[in-house]
Amino acid sequence: MRSFLVSVFLIAFGVACVNCKPWKSKLAMSVKFKVCDESASYLAEVGTVTVEPCDKQPCTLRKGKNSTITISFTENKGVPAVNDTKAIVHGIVAGIPFPFDIDNDDGCKSGVKCPVKPGDPDTYTFTLPISSVYPSVDCVVKWQLKQTNKDRTKDGKEIFCIEIPVAVK
């Protein structure tokens, strides 16, 4: 009986909202991004990039708050599986890249299903604390995910590299 009433309620709600505007969260949005180097041979193709919170581009990263980036990608077919990954982040201001030290650079611990297999969709997610000591500035965030050795002594090929404009306030 309860499930019947719930079904009736949902049907009635759906009928009542036929002309309603769809609900849209202002907390996160898919953002336009640029591949770092169009001529480079990346191991994967990025599908979507989402930043939270963000309601318009460039996304505003609020000092003293956290921002989360989610990058959906698919490793290209014909590429060997990737067992170990490393994220590298830079803020680019006036064309000058400033490295951003992240506390966990292991993509395999940030949602990536390792080994990354060709043709399988995957997702990298990282929550970035925006320090209150950062200057208020418009910049470009460059986010790379690289293949690397297990001993972390040398970097390998880039899995992906994207750039997105942001404003730190």
Side-chain angles (χ1 to χ4, degrees):
M1 178 70 170
R2 179 185 283 180
S3 63
F4 173 74
L5 291 175
V6 170
S7 298
V8 169
F9 174 77
L10 291 174
I11 291 170
F13 182 79
V15 171
C17 285
V18 166
N19 294 321
C20 293
K21 292 181 181 177
W23 179 77
K24 183 177 178 183
S25 169
K26 291 197 172 209
L27 296 178
M29 74 177 277
S30 289
V31 296
K32 293 179 183 175
F33 63 91
K34 177 182 167 269
V35 173
C36 297
D37 181 355
E38 292 289 339
S39 65
S41 181
Y42 298 107
L43 299 180
E45 183 174 328
V46 173
T48 60
V49 177
T50 304
V51 177
E52 182 178 354
C54 183
D55 61 354
K56 66 178 180 155
Q57 275 195 263
C59 297
T60 299
L61 308 182
R62 297 277 175 207
K63 293 190 261 186
K65 305 284 184 188
N66 290 334
S67 291
T68 300
I69 186 166
T70 302
I71 303 169
S72 299
F73 65 96
T74 303
E75 187 171 339
N76 296 323
K77 294 189 180 200
V79 173
V82 174
N83 294 309
D84 199 30
T85 64
K86 179 181 180 180
I88 301 167
V89 183
H90 287 86
I92 302 172
V93 179
I96 302 169
F98 294 93
F100 189 91
D101 188 32
I102 56 177
D103 60 351
N104 177 19
D105 66 357
D106 187 348
C108 299
K109 293 181 180 171
S110 295
V112 176
K113 296 182 293 278
C114 293
V116 180
K117 297 178 184 170
D120 287 352
D122 218 329
T123 303
Y124 170 86
T125 301
F126 191 84
T127 299
L128 187 66
I130 309 303
S131 175
S132 57
V133 299
Y134 292 167
S136 295
V137 64
D138 293 339
C139 66
V140 172
V141 173
K142 179 179 180 179
W143 210 290
Q144 300 165 274
L145 190 63
K146 286 186 163 189
Q147 173 186 28
T148 188
N149 291 352
K150 289 199 183 282
D151 64 6
R152 313 292 250 177
T153 58
K154 78 173 191 183
D155 291 333
K157 295 183 178 181
E158 286 184 304
I159 298 170
F160 63 74
C161 180
I162 60 155
E163 295 179 347
I164 56 172
V166 299
V168 177
K169 295 190 181 200

